[in-house]
Amino acid sequence: MEGSEAVYKSLKNAGIDFVVSLPCVNLGKVMEMIDCDPDVIHVPVTREEEGFGICAGAFFGGKNPAILMQNSGLGNSVNVLASLYELYRIPILMIMSHRGTEGEFMSAQVPMGKATPGVLDALNITYFNPKTPEEAMEIIPHAWKLSEIGEAPVGILLEIPFWK
Amino acid sequence: MERIEAIKTIAESLEDELVVCNIGFPSRELYAVKDSPIHFYMLGSMGMASSIGLGLALSQKRKVVVFDGDGSILMNMGTLVTIFSQDSQNLILVVFDNQCYGSTGSQCTYTTKVDLHEIAKSVGFKNTFVFEEEIDFKEVLDVKGPVFVHMKVMPGNADVPVIDMEPEEIKERFMEEVKRKSE
């Protein structure tokens, strides 16, 4: 199974039914699959912070939310993760394409790529790095369970080699 | 009109609608004039009230009214594009525009130079309202969303206490009510 299919299937297995997204070359196929799925509400957004706001509202409305984004979007979302998600204890599954890691071709992606684990640690956000599609199938539903029970965001960082 | 008076008038015309209220004094003023389990008071994350309202409107059937501010809308302008594009028919976005950042000492916002109502119309909002002296909120509730309401108010905050509820308590009370009413 290839990476995109594994991410899509494991989101379905986890029970995710509300997804906001920002474009990413690696997550493109997952977004197409989600967009074609009538059982998942898909909302493309203009900025990651906005996506987190929308997902919080969706959770209040009874949905299981996830955000698909690049790790650069984490930098745009630090305050909403602290002063909305941590403050009110709201779960969300963060599926992040981790650019700026091994095999990166664009230098601009490198600084945020390096900063990403530190930012997640500073926010006390638990995250996982599945290396293969098989690992993703196992980890993603588990991560959502953890997010729901812990009432806190949980991250999935998918590095460049994951998509190869 | 003072903002608290506008909030009071609109809140009194609401029955079953879910309310998401902006950070700072707007939440405190709403809490002081009319508290309800179907109010969500946003305490942090400036700019996010409109987005929370959209997510809520898309995930259940009841009408959602967002009480937002000019500074917050300017901080998250993309929200207007997303709300319009999602064509959320049960969402009403009310922007209390006092042309200043009221909760931080009334520094001017750029709505002294730009007209938020014109911006909403240019994004594509079909149903928009501007109120200054009189508010007819029944008319707003009767039209199909997404609705944009430009509510012009005077600068200044009412002398109201802070909200004496814990964030989790606000969330849990709100979610229980959303769930109960959608069953």
mmCIF file with all atom_site columns, all heavy atoms in Angstrom, chain A residues 49-50 53 79-80 84, chain B residues 22-23 42 44-53 66 68-79 93:
data_model
loop_
_atom_site.group_PDB
_atom_site.id
_atom_site.type_symbol
_atom_site.label_atom_id
_atom_site.label_alt_id
_atom_site.label_comp_id
_atom_site.label_asym_id
_atom_site.label_entity_id
_atom_site.label_seq_id
_atom_site.pdbx_PDB_ins_code
_atom_site.Cartn_x
_atom_site.Cartn_y
_atom_site.Cartn_z
_atom_site.occupancy
_atom_site.B_iso_or_equiv
_atom_site.pdbx_formal_charge
_atom_site.auth_seq_id
_atom_site.auth_comp_id
_atom_site.auth_asym_id
_atom_site.auth_atom_id
_atom_site.pdbx_PDB_model_num
ATOM 1   N N   . GLU A 1 49 ? -4.288  28.500 10.996 1.00 0.00 ? 49 GLU A N   1
ATOM 2   C CA  . GLU A 1 49 ? -4.902  28.960 12.237 1.00 0.00 ? 49 GLU A CA  1
ATOM 3   C C   . GLU A 1 49 ? -6.433  28.941 12.110 1.00 0.00 ? 49 GLU A C   1
ATOM 4   O O   . GLU A 1 49 ? -7.147  28.494 13.006 1.00 0.00 ? 49 GLU A O   1
ATOM 5   C CB  . GLU A 1 49 ? -4.408  30.379 12.536 1.00 0.00 ? 49 GLU A CB  1
ATOM 6   C CG  . GLU A 1 49 ? -4.845  30.897 13.888 1.00 0.00 ? 49 GLU A CG  1
ATOM 7   C CD  . GLU A 1 49 ? -4.554  32.389 14.045 1.00 0.00 ? 49 GLU A CD  1
ATOM 8   O OE1 . GLU A 1 49 ? -4.494  33.106 13.025 1.00 0.00 ? 49 GLU A OE1 1
ATOM 9   O OE2 . GLU A 1 49 ? -4.390  32.822 15.194 1.00 0.00 ? 49 GLU A OE2 1
ATOM 10  N N   . GLU A 1 50 ? -6.902  29.423 10.962 1.00 0.00 ? 50 GLU A N   1
ATOM 11  C CA  . GLU A 1 50 ? -8.332  29.410 10.674 1.00 0.00 ? 50 GLU A CA  1
ATOM 12  C C   . GLU A 1 50 ? -8.866  27.965 10.701 1.00 0.00 ? 50 GLU A C   1
ATOM 13  O O   . GLU A 1 50 ? -9.943  27.703 11.236 1.00 0.00 ? 50 GLU A O   1
ATOM 14  C CB  . GLU A 1 50 ? -8.533  30.025 9.285  1.00 0.00 ? 50 GLU A CB  1
ATOM 15  C CG  . GLU A 1 50 ? -9.969  30.040 8.811  1.00 0.00 ? 50 GLU A CG  1
ATOM 16  C CD  . GLU A 1 50 ? -10.103 30.204 7.287  1.00 0.00 ? 50 GLU A CD  1
ATOM 17  O OE1 . GLU A 1 50 ? -9.098  30.108 6.552  1.00 0.00 ? 50 GLU A OE1 1
ATOM 18  O OE2 . GLU A 1 50 ? -11.238 30.402 6.845  1.00 0.00 ? 50 GLU A OE2 1
ATOM 19  N N   . GLY A 1 53 ? -9.525  26.804 14.139 1.00 0.00 ? 53 GLY A N   1
ATOM 20  C CA  . GLY A 1 53 ? -10.776 27.389 14.643 1.00 0.00 ? 53 GLY A CA  1
ATOM 21  C C   . GLY A 1 53 ? -11.980 26.610 14.139 1.00 0.00 ? 53 GLY A C   1
ATOM 22  O O   . GLY A 1 53 ? -12.882 26.251 14.907 1.00 0.00 ? 53 GLY A O   1
ATOM 23  N N   . ASN A 1 79 ? -0.559  30.102 18.712 1.00 0.00 ? 79 ASN A N   1
ATOM 24  C CA  . ASN A 1 79 ? -1.474  30.697 19.698 1.00 0.00 ? 79 ASN A CA  1
ATOM 25  C C   . ASN A 1 79 ? -2.806  29.967 19.784 1.00 0.00 ? 79 ASN A C   1
ATOM 26  O O   . ASN A 1 79 ? -3.324  29.729 20.879 1.00 0.00 ? 79 ASN A O   1
ATOM 27  C CB  . ASN A 1 79 ? -1.718  32.177 19.404 1.00 0.00 ? 79 ASN A CB  1
ATOM 28  C CG  . ASN A 1 79 ? -2.607  32.800 20.463 1.00 0.00 ? 79 ASN A CG  1
ATOM 29  O OD1 . ASN A 1 79 ? -2.286  32.753 21.649 1.00 0.00 ? 79 ASN A OD1 1
ATOM 30  N ND2 . ASN A 1 79 ? -3.750  33.322 20.073 1.00 0.00 ? 79 ASN A ND2 1
ATOM 31  N N   . VAL A 1 80 ? -3.369  29.580 18.625 1.00 0.00 ? 80 VAL A N   1
ATOM 32  C CA  . VAL A 1 80 ? -4.678  28.899 18.671 1.00 0.00 ? 80 VAL A CA  1
ATOM 33  C C   . VAL A 1 80 ? -4.538  27.535 19.370 1.00 0.00 ? 80 VAL A C   1
ATOM 34  O O   . VAL A 1 80 ? -5.437  27.094 20.088 1.00 0.00 ? 80 VAL A O   1
ATOM 35  C CB  . VAL A 1 80 ? -5.301  28.774 17.254 1.00 0.00 ? 80 VAL A CB  1
ATOM 36  C CG1 . VAL A 1 80 ? -4.608  27.725 16.400 1.00 0.00 ? 80 VAL A CG1 1
ATOM 37  C CG2 . VAL A 1 80 ? -6.792  28.458 17.332 1.00 0.00 ? 80 VAL A CG2 1
ATOM 38  N N   . LEU A 1 84 ? -6.750  28.185 22.598 1.00 0.00 ? 84 LEU A N   1
ATOM 39  C CA  . LEU A 1 84 ? -8.066  27.578 22.335 1.00 0.00 ? 84 LEU A CA  1
ATOM 40  C C   . LEU A 1 84 ? -8.017  26.085 22.688 1.00 0.00 ? 84 LEU A C   1
ATOM 41  O O   . LEU A 1 84 ? -8.750  25.625 23.555 1.00 0.00 ? 84 LEU A O   1
ATOM 42  C CB  . LEU A 1 84 ? -8.481  27.779 20.872 1.00 0.00 ? 84 LEU A CB  1
ATOM 43  C CG  . LEU A 1 84 ? -9.878  27.251 20.491 1.00 0.00 ? 84 LEU A CG  1
ATOM 44  C CD1 . LEU A 1 84 ? -10.982 27.987 21.239 1.00 0.00 ? 84 LEU A CD1 1
ATOM 45  C CD2 . LEU A 1 84 ? -10.123 27.365 18.985 1.00 0.00 ? 84 LEU A CD2 1
ATOM 46  N N   . ASN B 2 22 ? -16.991 36.600 20.614 1.00 0.00 ? 22 ASN B N   1
ATOM 47  C CA  . ASN B 2 22 ? -15.613 37.065 20.521 1.00 0.00 ? 22 ASN B CA  1
ATOM 48  C C   . ASN B 2 22 ? -14.950 37.291 21.894 1.00 0.00 ? 22 ASN B C   1
ATOM 49  O O   . ASN B 2 22 ? -15.602 37.617 22.877 1.00 0.00 ? 22 ASN B O   1
ATOM 50  C CB  . ASN B 2 22 ? -15.625 38.368 19.713 1.00 0.00 ? 22 ASN B CB  1
ATOM 51  C CG  . ASN B 2 22 ? -14.252 38.828 19.302 1.00 0.00 ? 22 ASN B CG  1
ATOM 52  O OD1 . ASN B 2 22 ? -13.335 38.033 19.218 1.00 0.00 ? 22 ASN B OD1 1
ATOM 53  N ND2 . ASN B 2 22 ? -14.126 40.115 19.038 1.00 0.00 ? 22 ASN B ND2 1
ATOM 54  N N   . ILE B 2 23 ? -13.644 37.183 21.884 1.00 0.00 ? 23 ILE B N   1
ATOM 55  C CA  . ILE B 2 23 ? -12.767 37.380 23.030 1.00 0.00 ? 23 ILE B CA  1
ATOM 56  C C   . ILE B 2 23 ? -12.935 38.772 23.663 1.00 0.00 ? 23 ILE B C   1
ATOM 57  O O   . ILE B 2 23 ? -13.254 39.741 22.994 1.00 0.00 ? 23 ILE B O   1
ATOM 58  C CB  . ILE B 2 23 ? -11.303 37.217 22.547 1.00 0.00 ? 23 ILE B CB  1
ATOM 59  C CG1 . ILE B 2 23 ? -10.283 37.397 23.655 1.00 0.00 ? 23 ILE B CG1 1
ATOM 60  C CG2 . ILE B 2 23 ? -10.972 38.168 21.416 1.00 0.00 ? 23 ILE B CG2 1
ATOM 61  C CD1 . ILE B 2 23 ? -8.848  37.118 23.192 1.00 0.00 ? 23 ILE B CD1 1
ATOM 62  N N   . MET B 2 42 ? -15.528 32.805 23.926 1.00 0.00 ? 42 MET B N   1
ATOM 63  C CA  . MET B 2 42 ? -14.144 32.562 23.547 1.00 0.00 ? 42 MET B CA  1
ATOM 64  C C   . MET B 2 42 ? -13.243 33.450 24.397 1.00 0.00 ? 42 MET B C   1
ATOM 65  O O   . MET B 2 42 ? -13.402 34.667 24.407 1.00 0.00 ? 42 MET B O   1
ATOM 66  C CB  . MET B 2 42 ? -13.971 32.878 22.066 1.00 0.00 ? 42 MET B CB  1
ATOM 67  C CG  . MET B 2 42 ? -12.741 32.270 21.451 1.00 0.00 ? 42 MET B CG  1
ATOM 68  S SD  . MET B 2 42 ? -12.585 32.757 19.716 1.00 0.00 ? 42 MET B SD  1
ATOM 69  C CE  . MET B 2 42 ? -12.003 34.444 19.923 1.00 0.00 ? 42 MET B CE  1
ATOM 70  N N   . GLY B 2 44 ? -9.609  33.155 24.583 1.00 0.00 ? 44 GLY B N   1
ATOM 71  C CA  . GLY B 2 44 ? -8.286  33.432 23.998 1.00 0.00 ? 44 GLY B CA  1
ATOM 72  C C   . GLY B 2 44 ? -8.419  33.446 22.489 1.00 0.00 ? 44 GLY B C   1
ATOM 73  O O   . GLY B 2 44 ? -9.493  33.743 21.966 1.00 0.00 ? 44 GLY B O   1
ATOM 74  N N   . SER B 2 45 ? -7.361  33.125 21.787 1.00 0.00 ? 45 SER B N   1
ATOM 75  C CA  . SER B 2 45 ? -7.360  32.907 20.329 1.00 0.00 ? 45 SER B CA  1
ATOM 76  C C   . SER B 2 45 ? -8.113  33.968 19.528 1.00 0.00 ? 45 SER B C   1
ATOM 77  O O   . SER B 2 45 ? -9.051  33.665 18.784 1.00 0.00 ? 45 SER B O   1
ATOM 78  C CB  . SER B 2 45 ? -7.888  31.508 19.983 1.00 0.00 ? 45 SER B CB  1
ATOM 79  O OG  . SER B 2 45 ? -9.204  31.289 20.401 1.00 0.00 ? 45 SER B OG  1
ATOM 80  N N   . MET B 2 46 ? -7.662  35.217 19.658 1.00 0.00 ? 46 MET B N   1
ATOM 81  C CA  . MET B 2 46 ? -8.299  36.314 18.924 1.00 0.00 ? 46 MET B CA  1
ATOM 82  C C   . MET B 2 46 ? -8.350  36.014 17.422 1.00 0.00 ? 46 MET B C   1
ATOM 83  O O   . MET B 2 46 ? -7.390  35.514 16.844 1.00 0.00 ? 46 MET B O   1
ATOM 84  C CB  . MET B 2 46 ? -7.520  37.613 19.146 1.00 0.00 ? 46 MET B CB  1
ATOM 85  C CG  . MET B 2 46 ? -8.132  38.774 18.412 1.00 0.00 ? 46 MET B CG  1
ATOM 86  S SD  . MET B 2 46 ? -7.527  40.330 19.052 1.00 0.00 ? 46 MET B SD  1
ATOM 87  C CE  . MET B 2 46 ? -8.031  41.428 17.756 1.00 0.00 ? 46 MET B CE  1
ATOM 88  N N   . GLY B 2 47 ? -9.491  36.333 16.830 1.00 0.00 ? 47 GLY B N   1
ATOM 89  C CA  . GLY B 2 47 ? -9.688  36.107 15.395 1.00 0.00 ? 47 GLY B CA  1
ATOM 90  C C   . GLY B 2 47 ? -10.452 34.842 15.080 1.00 0.00 ? 47 GLY B C   1
ATOM 91  O O   . GLY B 2 47 ? -10.930 34.654 13.963 1.00 0.00 ? 47 GLY B O   1
ATOM 92  N N   . MET B 2 48 ? -10.580 33.946 16.052 1.00 0.00 ? 48 MET B N   1
ATOM 93  C CA  . MET B 2 48 ? -11.109 32.621 15.763 1.00 0.00 ? 48 MET B CA  1
ATOM 94  C C   . MET B 2 48 ? -12.629 32.470 15.918 1.00 0.00 ? 48 MET B C   1
ATOM 95  O O   . MET B 2 48 ? -13.184 31.441 15.556 1.00 0.00 ? 48 MET B O   1
ATOM 96  C CB  . MET B 2 48 ? -10.425 31.567 16.657 1.00 0.00 ? 48 MET B CB  1
ATOM 97  C CG  . MET B 2 48 ? -8.964  31.324 16.318 1.00 0.00 ? 48 MET B CG  1
ATOM 98  S SD  . MET B 2 48 ? -8.749  30.584 14.682 1.00 0.00 ? 48 MET B SD  1
ATOM 99  C CE  . MET B 2 48 ? -8.166  31.969 13.752 1.00 0.00 ? 48 MET B CE  1
ATOM 100 N N   . ALA B 2 49 ? -13.326 33.484 16.435 1.00 0.00 ? 49 ALA B N   1
ATOM 101 C CA  . ALA B 2 49 ? -14.769 33.306 16.679 1.00 0.00 ? 49 ALA B CA  1
ATOM 102 C C   . ALA B 2 49 ? -15.515 32.955 15.388 1.00 0.00 ? 49 ALA B C   1
ATOM 103 O O   . ALA B 2 49 ? -16.349 32.038 15.365 1.00 0.00 ? 49 ALA B O   1
ATOM 104 C CB  . ALA B 2 49 ? -15.360 34.559 17.314 1.00 0.00 ? 49 ALA B CB  1
ATOM 105 N N   . SER B 2 50 ? -15.194 33.668 14.311 1.00 0.00 ? 50 SER B N   1
ATOM 106 C CA  . SER B 2 50 ? -15.882 33.417 13.036 1.00 0.00 ? 50 SER B CA  1
ATOM 107 C C   . SER B 2 50 ? -15.599 32.004 12.527 1.00 0.00 ? 50 SER B C   1
ATOM 108 O O   . SER B 2 50 ? -16.484 31.342 11.974 1.00 0.00 ? 50 SER B O   1
ATOM 109 C CB  . SER B 2 50 ? -15.439 34.446 12.002 1.00 0.00 ? 50 SER B CB  1
ATOM 110 O OG  . SER B 2 50 ? -14.027 34.503 11.952 1.00 0.00 ? 50 SER B OG  1
ATOM 111 N N   . SER B 2 51 ? -14.366 31.541 12.722 1.00 0.00 ? 51 SER B N   1
ATOM 112 C CA  . SER B 2 51 ? -13.995 30.204 12.247 1.00 0.00 ? 51 SER B CA  1
ATOM 113 C C   . SER B 2 51 ? -14.658 29.121 13.095 1.00 0.00 ? 51 SER B C   1
ATOM 114 O O   . SER B 2 51 ? -15.160 28.121 12.571 1.00 0.00 ? 51 SER B O   1
ATOM 115 C CB  . SER B 2 51 ? -12.474 30.036 12.262 1.00 0.00 ? 51 SER B CB  1
ATOM 116 O OG  . SER B 2 51 ? -11.873 31.003 11.431 1.00 0.00 ? 51 SER B OG  1
ATOM 117 N N   . ILE B 2 52 ? -14.688 29.314 14.409 1.00 0.00 ? 52 ILE B N   1
ATOM 118 C CA  . ILE B 2 52 ? -15.370 28.362 15.289 1.00 0.00 ? 52 ILE B CA  1
ATOM 119 C C   . ILE B 2 52 ? -16.846 28.296 14.877 1.00 0.00 ? 52 ILE B C   1
ATOM 120 O O   . ILE B 2 52 ? -17.431 27.218 14.754 1.00 0.00 ? 52 ILE B O   1
ATOM 121 C CB  . ILE B 2 52 ? -15.242 28.775 16.776 1.00 0.00 ? 52 ILE B CB  1
ATOM 122 C CG1 . ILE B 2 52 ? -13.778 28.729 17.223 1.00 0.00 ? 52 ILE B CG1 1
ATOM 123 C CG2 . ILE B 2 52 ? -16.098 27.877 17.673 1.00 0.00 ? 52 ILE B CG2 1
ATOM 124 C CD1 . ILE B 2 52 ? -13.512 29.336 18.605 1.00 0.00 ? 52 ILE B CD1 1
ATOM 125 N N   . GLY B 2 53 ? -17.429 29.458 14.618 1.00 0.00 ? 53 GLY B N   1
ATOM 126 C CA  . GLY B 2 53 ? -18.829 29.510 14.198 1.00 0.00 ? 53 GLY B CA  1
ATOM 127 C C   . GLY B 2 53 ? -19.074 28.758 12.903 1.00 0.00 ? 53 GLY B C   1
ATOM 128 O O   . GLY B 2 53 ? -20.067 28.038 12.766 1.00 0.00 ? 53 GLY B O   1
ATOM 129 N N   . VAL B 2 66 ? -22.535 34.360 15.160 1.00 0.00 ? 66 VAL B N   1
ATOM 130 C CA  . VAL B 2 66 ? -21.221 34.733 15.693 1.00 0.00 ? 66 VAL B CA  1
ATOM 131 C C   . VAL B 2 66 ? -21.241 36.224 16.031 1.00 0.00 ? 66 VAL B C   1
ATOM 132 O O   . VAL B 2 66 ? -21.651 37.043 15.212 1.00 0.00 ? 66 VAL B O   1
ATOM 133 C CB  . VAL B 2 66 ? -20.102 34.459 14.656 1.00 0.00 ? 66 VAL B CB  1
ATOM 134 C CG1 . VAL B 2 66 ? -18.755 34.951 15.186 1.00 0.00 ? 66 VAL B CG1 1
ATOM 135 C CG2 . VAL B 2 66 ? -20.034 32.981 14.317 1.00 0.00 ? 66 VAL B CG2 1
ATOM 136 N N   . ASP B 2 68 ? -18.760 38.961 16.481 1.00 0.00 ? 68 ASP B N   1
ATOM 137 C CA  . ASP B 2 68 ? -17.337 39.204 16.255 1.00 0.00 ? 68 ASP B CA  1
ATOM 138 C C   . ASP B 2 68 ? -17.031 40.704 16.343 1.00 0.00 ? 68 ASP B C   1
ATOM 139 O O   . ASP B 2 68 ? -17.946 41.503 16.561 1.00 0.00 ? 68 ASP B O   1
ATOM 140 C CB  . ASP B 2 68 ? -16.932 38.638 14.879 1.00 0.00 ? 68 ASP B CB  1
ATOM 141 C CG  . ASP B 2 68 ? -15.518 38.090 14.887 1.00 0.00 ? 68 ASP B CG  1
ATOM 142 O OD1 . ASP B 2 68 ? -14.740 38.453 15.778 1.00 0.00 ? 68 ASP B OD1 1
ATOM 143 O OD2 . ASP B 2 68 ? -15.193 37.288 14.004 1.00 0.00 ? 68 ASP B OD2 1
ATOM 144 N N   . GLY B 2 69 ? -15.784 41.066 16.153 1.00 0.00 ? 69 GLY B N   1
ATOM 145 C CA  . GLY B 2 69 ? -15.401 42.479 16.211 1.00 0.00 ? 69 GLY B CA  1
ATOM 146 C C   . GLY B 2 69 ? -14.603 42.872 14.988 1.00 0.00 ? 69 GLY B C   1
ATOM 147 O O   . GLY B 2 69 ? -14.124 41.995 14.248 1.00 0.00 ? 69 GLY B O   1
ATOM 148 N N   . ASP B 2 70 ? -14.448 44.170 14.756 1.00 0.00 ? 70 ASP B N   1
ATOM 149 C CA  . ASP B 2 70 ? -13.711 44.627 13.569 1.00 0.00 ? 70 ASP B CA  1
ATOM 150 C C   . ASP B 2 70 ? -12.240 44.202 13.618 1.00 0.00 ? 70 ASP B C   1
ATOM 151 O O   . ASP B 2 70 ? -11.693 43.714 12.625 1.00 0.00 ? 70 ASP B O   1
ATOM 152 C CB  . ASP B 2 70 ? -13.844 46.147 13.372 1.00 0.00 ? 70 ASP B CB  1
ATOM 153 C CG  . ASP B 2 70 ? -13.550 46.959 14.622 1.00 0.00 ? 70 ASP B CG  1
ATOM 154 O OD1 . ASP B 2 70 ? -14.098 46.616 15.684 1.00 0.00 ? 70 ASP B OD1 1
ATOM 155 O OD2 . ASP B 2 70 ? -12.769 47.923 14.551 1.00 0.00 ? 70 ASP B OD2 1
ATOM 156 N N   . GLY B 2 71 ? -11.609 44.347 14.783 1.00 0.00 ? 71 GLY B N   1
ATOM 157 C CA  . GLY B 2 71 ? -10.196 43.961 14.901 1.00 0.00 ? 71 GLY B CA  1
ATOM 158 C C   . GLY B 2 71 ? -9.992  42.477 14.640 1.00 0.00 ? 71 GLY B C   1
ATOM 159 O O   . GLY B 2 71 ? -9.023  42.074 13.984 1.00 0.00 ? 71 GLY B O   1
ATOM 160 N N   . SER B 2 72 ? -10.922 41.666 15.124 1.00 0.00 ? 72 SER B N   1
ATOM 161 C CA  . SER B 2 72 ? -10.808 40.209 14.947 1.00 0.00 ? 72 SER B CA  1
ATOM 162 C C   . SER B 2 72 ? -11.012 39.795 13.506 1.00 0.00 ? 72 SER B C   1
ATOM 163 O O   . SER B 2 72 ? -10.343 38.886 13.009 1.00 0.00 ? 72 SER B O   1
ATOM 164 C CB  . SER B 2 72 ? -11.850 39.487 15.792 1.00 0.00 ? 72 SER B CB  1
ATOM 165 O OG  . SER B 2 72 ? -11.820 39.985 17.092 1.00 0.00 ? 72 SER B OG  1
ATOM 166 N N   . ILE B 2 73 ? -11.947 40.448 12.838 1.00 0.00 ? 73 ILE B N   1
ATOM 167 C CA  . ILE B 2 73 ? -12.184 40.121 11.425 1.00 0.00 ? 73 ILE B CA  1
ATOM 168 C C   . ILE B 2 73 ? -10.958 40.509 10.598 1.00 0.00 ? 73 ILE B C   1
ATOM 169 O O   . ILE B 2 73 ? -10.514 39.762 9.727  1.00 0.00 ? 73 ILE B O   1
ATOM 170 C CB  . ILE B 2 73 ? -13.454 40.839 10.904 1.00 0.00 ? 73 ILE B CB  1
ATOM 171 C CG1 . ILE B 2 73 ? -14.713 40.100 11.384 1.00 0.00 ? 73 ILE B CG1 1
ATOM 172 C CG2 . ILE B 2 73 ? -13.460 40.959 9.380  1.00 0.00 ? 73 ILE B CG2 1
ATOM 173 C CD1 . ILE B 2 73 ? -14.943 38.735 10.742 1.00 0.00 ? 73 ILE B CD1 1
ATOM 174 N N   . LEU B 2 74 ? -10.367 41.668 10.921 1.00 0.00 ? 74 LEU B N   1
ATOM 175 C CA  . LEU B 2 74 ? -9.171  42.085 10.189 1.00 0.00 ? 74 LEU B CA  1
ATOM 176 C C   . LEU B 2 74 ? -8.026  41.102 10.417 1.00 0.00 ? 74 LEU B C   1
ATOM 177 O O   . LEU B 2 74 ? -7.184  40.885 9.553  1.00 0.00 ? 74 LEU B O   1
ATOM 178 C CB  . LEU B 2 74 ? -8.746  43.501 10.615 1.00 0.00 ? 74 LEU B CB  1
ATOM 179 C CG  . LEU B 2 74 ? -9.692  44.638 10.219 1.00 0.00 ? 74 LEU B CG  1
ATOM 180 C CD1 . LEU B 2 74 ? -9.236  45.955 10.849 1.00 0.00 ? 74 LEU B CD1 1
ATOM 181 C CD2 . LEU B 2 74 ? -9.783  44.806 8.704  1.00 0.00 ? 74 LEU B CD2 1
ATOM 182 N N   . MET B 2 75 ? -7.990  40.503 11.595 1.00 0.00 ? 75 MET B N   1
ATOM 183 C CA  . MET B 2 75 ? -6.920  39.562 11.916 1.00 0.00 ? 75 MET B CA  1
ATOM 184 C C   . MET B 2 75 ? -7.061  38.236 11.174 1.00 0.00 ? 75 MET B C   1
ATOM 185 O O   . MET B 2 75 ? -6.101  37.507 10.994 1.00 0.00 ? 75 MET B O   1
ATOM 186 C CB  . MET B 2 75 ? -6.921  39.314 13.432 1.00 0.00 ? 75 MET B CB  1
ATOM 187 C CG  . MET B 2 75 ? -5.717  38.563 13.917 1.00 0.00 ? 75 MET B CG  1
ATOM 188 S SD  . MET B 2 75 ? -5.726  38.423 15.709 1.00 0.00 ? 75 MET B SD  1
ATOM 189 C CE  . MET B 2 75 ? -4.902  39.924 16.180 1.00 0.00 ? 75 MET B CE  1
ATOM 190 N N   . ASN B 2 76 ? -8.282  37.917 10.758 1.00 0.00 ? 76 ASN B N   1
ATOM 191 C CA  . ASN B 2 76 ? -8.551  36.625 10.110 1.00 0.00 ? 76 ASN B CA  1
ATOM 192 C C   . ASN B 2 76 ? -9.425  36.861 8.880  1.00 0.00 ? 76 ASN B C   1
ATOM 193 O O   . ASN B 2 76 ? -10.483 36.274 8.737  1.00 0.00 ? 76 ASN B O   1
ATOM 194 C CB  . ASN B 2 76 ? -9.246  35.696 11.135 1.00 0.00 ? 76 ASN B CB  1
ATOM 195 C CG  . ASN B 2 76 ? -9.536  34.294 10.621 1.00 0.00 ? 76 ASN B CG  1
ATOM 196 O OD1 . ASN B 2 76 ? -8.959  33.847 9.634  1.00 0.00 ? 76 ASN B OD1 1
ATOM 197 N ND2 . ASN B 2 76 ? -10.455 33.599 11.285 1.00 0.00 ? 76 ASN B ND2 1
ATOM 198 N N   . MET B 2 77 ? -8.973  37.741 7.985  1.00 0.00 ? 77 MET B N   1
ATOM 199 C CA  . MET B 2 77 ? -9.789  38.125 6.829  1.00 0.00 ? 77 MET B CA  1
ATOM 200 C C   . MET B 2 77 ? -10.136 36.949 5.918  1.00 0.00 ? 77 MET B C   1
ATOM 201 O O   . MET B 2 77 ? -11.160 36.961 5.252  1.00 0.00 ? 77 MET B O   1
ATOM 202 C CB  . MET B 2 77 ? -9.061  39.200 6.007  1.00 0.00 ? 77 MET B CB  1
ATOM 203 C CG  . MET B 2 77 ? -9.132  40.567 6.617  1.00 0.00 ? 77 MET B CG  1
ATOM 204 S SD  . MET B 2 77 ? -10.729 41.345 6.412  1.00 0.00 ? 77 MET B SD  1
ATOM 205 C CE  . MET B 2 77 ? -10.435 42.210 4.899  1.00 0.00 ? 77 MET B CE  1
ATOM 206 N N   . GLY B 2 78 ? -9.256  35.954 5.889  1.00 0.00 ? 78 GLY B N   1
ATOM 207 C CA  . GLY B 2 78 ? -9.525  34.775 5.062  1.00 0.00 ? 78 GLY B CA  1
ATOM 208 C C   . GLY B 2 78 ? -10.850 34.122 5.424  1.00 0.00 ? 78 GLY B C   1
ATOM 209 O O   . GLY B 2 78 ? -11.478 33.464 4.599  1.00 0.00 ? 78 GLY B O   1
ATOM 210 N N   . THR B 2 79 ? -11.287 34.330 6.650  1.00 0.00 ? 79 THR B N   1
ATOM 211 C CA  . THR B 2 79 ? -12.527 33.719 7.122  1.00 0.00 ? 79 THR B CA  1
ATOM 212 C C   . THR B 2 79 ? -13.721 34.130 6.248  1.00 0.00 ? 79 THR B C   1
ATOM 213 O O   . THR B 2 79 ? -14.619 33.338 6.001  1.00 0.00 ? 79 THR B O   1
ATOM 214 C CB  . THR B 2 79 ? -12.781 34.108 8.606  1.00 0.00 ? 79 THR B CB  1
ATOM 215 O OG1 . THR B 2 79 ? -13.764 33.241 9.141  1.00 0.00 ? 79 THR B OG1 1
ATOM 216 C CG2 . THR B 2 79 ? -13.265 35.543 8.789  1.00 0.00 ? 79 THR B CG2 1
ATOM 217 N N   . LEU B 2 93 ? -22.986 36.038 10.650 1.00 0.00 ? 93 LEU B N   1
ATOM 218 C CA  . LEU B 2 93 ? -21.794 36.666 11.211 1.00 0.00 ? 93 LEU B CA  1
ATOM 219 C C   . LEU B 2 93 ? -22.106 38.132 11.510 1.00 0.00 ? 93 LEU B C   1
ATOM 220 O O   . LEU B 2 93 ? -22.360 38.914 10.600 1.00 0.00 ? 93 LEU B O   1
ATOM 221 C CB  . LEU B 2 93 ? -20.637 36.559 10.195 1.00 0.00 ? 93 LEU B CB  1
ATOM 222 C CG  . LEU B 2 93 ? -19.320 37.236 10.562 1.00 0.00 ? 93 LEU B CG  1
ATOM 223 C CD1 . LEU B 2 93 ? -18.741 36.694 11.869 1.00 0.00 ? 93 LEU B CD1 1
ATOM 224 C CD2 . LEU B 2 93 ? -18.296 37.044 9.433  1.00 0.00 ? 93 LEU B CD2 1
#
